[in-house]
Amino acid sequence: IRTNLIRFRAEKRYSQREIAQVLSISQPSYNQMETGHTRVAASQLYALANFYGISVQLFYVENPTLDDDCERLSEAKKALQEQVAIYQAAMEIYQRRFKELESRKLNREAKRSLLKIGRTVKNAKR
């Protein structure tokens, strides 16, 4: 983790002081994290992941780059977009079928109403 703390900070060209401000700690405290003298809390990793725009898991990967996570997320986004398109197509089919069935039901109800009116008129004529 500490190696990745250094790597990500250096890739984005932030100083230890700037990252310490993100975590609301002092620069010496952050330095202790990078040197391995202080453990990094899960909440701090989460805050840093959000700051860098990456997943927390990337802190645990050996030799990662910030671009690795972007590529992985981009592929995941494409897969999700494909799934959404499939679900939208299915939803359109279901909506058409629902309208068709609703129309049939209304037609049946209208026919029944007309039959009742016809019977009522016949009975009234008698």
Side-chain angles (χ1 to χ4, degrees), residues 38-54:
T38 304
R39 292 181 64 174
V40 183
S43 60
Q44 291 171 321
L45 280 181
Y46 180 77
L48 289 173
N50 282 335
F51 178 73
Y52 289 127
I54 60 172

Side-chain angles (χ1 to χ4, degrees), residues 50-116:
N50 282 335
F51 178 73
Y52 289 127
I54 60 172
S55 61
V56 173
Q57 293 86 346
L58 207 57
F59 283 102
Y60 297 95
V61 174
E62 191 173 334
N63 298 321
T65 64
L66 294 175
D67 292 336
D68 289 344
D69 204 41
C70 289
E71 288 175 21
R72 185 183 59 76
L73 291 174
S74 178
E75 290 173 11
K77 179 183 174 185
K78 286 178 188 174
L80 287 173
Q81 287 173 331
E82 289 173 5
Q83 285 181 341
V84 166
I86 291 168
Y87 290 135
Q88 286 175 335
M91 185 59 87
E92 288 174 14
I93 291 169
Y94 289 132
Q95 287 173 342
R96 278 190 300 235
R97 181 67 176 144
F98 179 78
K99 286 178 183 178
E100 179 184 312
L101 292 172
E102 194 173 57
S103 176
R104 284 184 185 177
K105 178 184 173 192
L106 291 174
N107 286 339
R108 276 191 224 121
E109 289 174 358
K111 285 178 184 177
R112 286 184 188 141
S113 293
L114 288 174
L115 288 174
K116 283 182 183 178

